[in-house]
Amino acid sequence: MATISQLRPKFSIPQLDATNIATAQLFRDRWHNRVTALGNCIDHLVNDHGMPEHAAESAALQAYAEIESVNQKARIDVDATTSHLVVLRSGDGRSTAFTVSDLLRLLDRARQEGGAAVIEHSSRQPVVLEH
């Protein structure tokens, strides 16, 4: 006769990954602007879940991007994108290339026009574009 072993302790609760936690927090703050929602999400991940700030920033930004692009046909082509080039594919497959210099110019223009916002003022990062 075989012995059956319990795989998990009887009363264990499955743990959510950082993306799920970030997504849930962002849905709670969905009526806030981008900076407030991301700031609250990063704080929640750091303070309530003990994540390092850099990991919390990444999880929050990635979850926000996923939520924001739910109904988008355009996408970032990760196979064509490198550390110096971002390739954006439109819904019909056409590509637009953004080099690091292009993105820095866009950021500089957004700062001049007041459209760049800092989420965490003490560290002055991350910066996002408000729309």
Side-chain angles (χ1 to χ4, degrees):
M1 181 178 263
T3 304
I4 298 174
S5 5
Q6 193 171 348
L7 296 177
R8 289 194 256 177
K10 187 174 183 179
F11 297 105
S12 73
I13 298 170
Q15 298 298 312
L16 294 174
D17 66 8
T19 302
N20 288 334
I21 296 168
T23 301
Q25 180 62 37
L26 288 167
F27 272 114
R28 283 187 210 98
D29 288 339
R30 68 185 167 271
W31 306 117
H32 293 285
N33 65 35
R34 177 187 283 203
V35 172
T36 301
L38 283 166
N40 290 347
C41 184
I42 292 166
D43 288 344
H44 175 70
L45 293 170
V46 169
N47 297 324
D48 297 345
H49 296 279
M51 287 183 73
E53 190 167 347
H54 69 280
E57 287 175 2
S58 291
L61 291 167
Q62 289 171 359
Y64 190 92
E66 290 296 323
I67 292 168
E68 185 181 66
S69 14
V70 164
N71 292 317
Q72 287 284 344
K73 290 185 179 181
R75 64 181 176 79
I76 294 173
D77 185 340
V78 294
D79 294 324
T81 296
T82 69
S83 58
H84 297 102
L85 174 75
V86 175
V87 177
L88 177 68
R89 297 265 179 219
S90 64
D92 61 3
R94 287 181 291 147
S95 64
T96 303
F98 297 94
T99 65
V100 170
S101 296
D102 296 333
L103 294 170
L104 287 171
R105 279 193 295 276
L106 286 171
L107 178 58
D108 189 46
R109 185 178 307 147
R111 283 183 171 137
Q112 290 172 4
E113 296 171 359
V118 176
I119 294 173
E120 176 54 53
H121 292 286
S122 63
S123 66
R124 300 188 50 80
Q125 64 180 3
V127 175
V128 295
L129 302 181
E130 272 293 359
H131 42 96

